[in-house]
Amino acid sequence: MNHYFIGIKVPNRVAMTLSQWQQHIKPYVSYRGWVHELDFHLTLKFLGPVSEQSVAQLEEYLQDITVPQFDISIDGLSYFGKKSNREYCLHKFNL
């Protein structure tokens, strides 16, 4: 079963900046998979494994929700997960 999340896509200019940071830290940090520039997002809720039926219901419900523009700044970088196998990079945000 696939794992899912609810997220907000970041603007292209933000994705490009995050991608540049990612390229800068790649030589120093080992991750299983790096995020493609087009896939950067702000995760609102990690859902974990979800049935295809539930995914279809969520997509139907979420398609009508709009997110107003808001400002956000990145205050630093950190990680979580095992130090030997860092799977996620956490960006500390200020709204």
Side-chain angles (χ1 to χ4, degrees):
M1 191 176 293
N2 291 325
H3 289 82
Y4 293 91
F5 63 89
I6 298 171
I8 300 172
K9 183 172 175 49
V10 300
N12 289 339
R13 64 181 174 76
V14 174
M16 288 176 20
T17 300
L18 293 174
S19 182
Q20 290 170 356
W21 286 0
Q22 182 173 261
Q23 293 302 319
H24 179 73
I25 66 173
K26 268 186 179 180
Y28 308 103
V29 181
S30 174
Y31 284 98
R32 283 195 302 184
W34 292 90
V35 176
H36 187 277
E37 183 176 308
L38 298 176
D39 293 334
F40 281 109
H41 62 276
L42 175 61
T43 300
L44 301 176
K45 174 68 177 159
F46 178 73
L47 303 173
V50 177
S51 71
E52 294 299 322
Q53 180 181 2
S54 293
V55 169
Q57 290 172 338
L58 278 168
E59 286 176 337
E60 185 176 329
Y61 175 74
L62 294 172
Q63 73 182 358
D64 295 329
I65 295 176
T66 58
V67 178
Q69 184 173 337
F70 59 92
D71 293 325
I72 191 168
S73 64
I74 298 174
D75 191 30
L77 300 174
S78 186
Y79 70 91
F80 59 95
K82 295 178 183 175
K83 188 173 182 178
S84 62
N85 186 17
R86 297 176 183 159
E87 298 180 21
Y88 303 97
C89 187
L90 173 65
H91 305 284
K92 300 175 184 177
F93 294 108
N94 292 319
L95 296 174

